[in-house]
Amino acid sequence: MYLCIMVKNEVLALVDKGEMLPLMEEFYTIQGEGFHKGTAAYFIRVGGCDVGCHWCDVKESWNAATHPPTTIDTIVNNAAKYSNTIVVTGGEPLTWNMAPLTEALKDKKLQTHIETSGAYTLTGIWDWICLSPKKNKLPQGIIYDKADELKMIIYNKNDFKFAEEQAAKVNKDCILYLQPEWSVKDKMTPLIVDFVMKNPQWKVSLQTHKYLNIP
């Protein structure tokens, strides 16, 4: 019993350091959203999120305890077999220290992308940061200055105001996207199209992987 507790504590310590991560799933597919849509990429989905979006389509990622702590070496070696472009998503990946993972990925000359709400401190070395703020838990720190794209999910009309508020905080080179939440896409897409035509600094993002019926 004592040995089991020791092993568990050692694993938790490694997770806290980012040397192990609660891995929900990993898969090779086509990036369906934002600037890199249509690009082949290897996705690493990390468990753990307390942002609590009611429309989240991967709620099974929220509880980190249900996903096995996996060593960085295992994750990186799997990723390197498939693609030069690695997308880290969640859950909320910045719940954990991303520095060890990204350092190992960069050692293999891989491109590192992250999809994050920004709710926790930015860690890691990133070639591309997709920031998708949520009202429940707003972005922290320098991530507004570092974001390469801002992806705002539009669930209702009030989200357009929130999108404009968030766009005012990002750097001038950040690409601005409005994306309909999938369950209300038929209702919100026409409103997004109209908004973008009136505000051409924005672009439309769609979840093209869902239209293509791929992961």
Side-chain angles (χ1 to χ4, degrees):
M1 183 69 165
Y2 179 69
L3 181 59
C4 290
I5 293 172
M6 283 184 61
V7 170
K8 182 178 180 180
N9 288 340
E10 287 175 6
V11 168
L12 291 176
L14 291 173
V15 171
D16 285 341
K17 293 177 181 178
E19 294 175 11
M20 298 182 80
L21 292 170
L23 181 64
M24 176 182 167
E25 59 181 345
E26 49 189 343
F27 52 94
Y28 183 45
T29 189
I30 301 295
Q31 170 61 276
E33 304 175 10
F35 183 79
H36 292 281
K37 64 182 176 296
T39 302
Y42 191 80
F43 279 70
I44 298 168
R45 188 181 300 281
V46 181
C49 183
D50 64 356
V51 178
C53 304
H54 65 90
W55 41 255
C56 176
D57 57 3
V58 282
K59 290 181 180 177
E60 61 271 27
S61 71
W62 290 5
N63 185 358
T66 63
H67 305 296
T70 306
T71 65
I72 294 304
D73 285 346
T74 298
I75 295 172
V76 171
N77 288 334
N78 287 344
K81 296 174 186 176
Y82 292 92
S83 181
N84 291 327
T85 300
I86 312 301
V87 181
V88 182
T89 187
E92 173 45 66
L94 292 181
T95 302
W96 317 103
N97 178 10
M98 289 285 109
L101 175 64
T102 56
E103 287 169 8
L105 290 168
K106 297 310 289 182
D107 283 345
K108 290 188 177 291
K109 312 299 183 187
L110 301 176
Q111 294 289 303
T112 54
H113 297 194
I114 187 171
E115 298 178 346
T116 177
S117 69
Y120 290 93
T121 301
L122 179 64
T123 54
I125 305 163
W126 303 104
D127 296 297
W128 192 266
I129 297 174
C130 173
L131 174 62
S132 186
K134 306 299 187 294
K135 296 175 184 175
N136 310 28
K137 201 163 189 176
L138 294 174
Q140 291 189 12
I142 64 171
I143 197 163
Y144 285 114
D145 294 329
K146 299 292 185 180
D148 296 288
E149 66 178 281
L150 178 73
K151 183 175 69 181
M152 301 303 303
I153 308 302
I154 304 300
Y155 182 77
N156 57 44
K157 291 182 180 179
N158 292 331
D159 290 331
F160 288 105
K161 180 181 179 183
F162 181 56
E164 291 183 293
E165 291 170 352
Q166 294 301 295
K169 298 181 179 182
V170 296
N171 67 82
K172 63 181 180 60
D173 296 320
C174 185
I175 305 168
L176 307 179
Y177 288 103
L178 298 176
Q179 179 172 298
E181 197 281 317
W182 183 254
S183 69
V184 293
K185 64 184 184 304
D186 293 337
K187 177 182 178 181
M188 300 312 300
T189 298
L191 301 182
I192 291 173
V193 169
D194 183 61
F195 186 90
V196 170
M197 291 179 72
K198 293 175 181 175
N199 302 273
Q201 70 272 28
W202 289 92
K203 300 177 185 292
V204 178
S205 174
L206 298 174
Q207 291 180 291
T208 57
H209 56 293
K210 291 188 177 181
Y211 288 99
L212 295 171
N213 196 29
I214 58 177

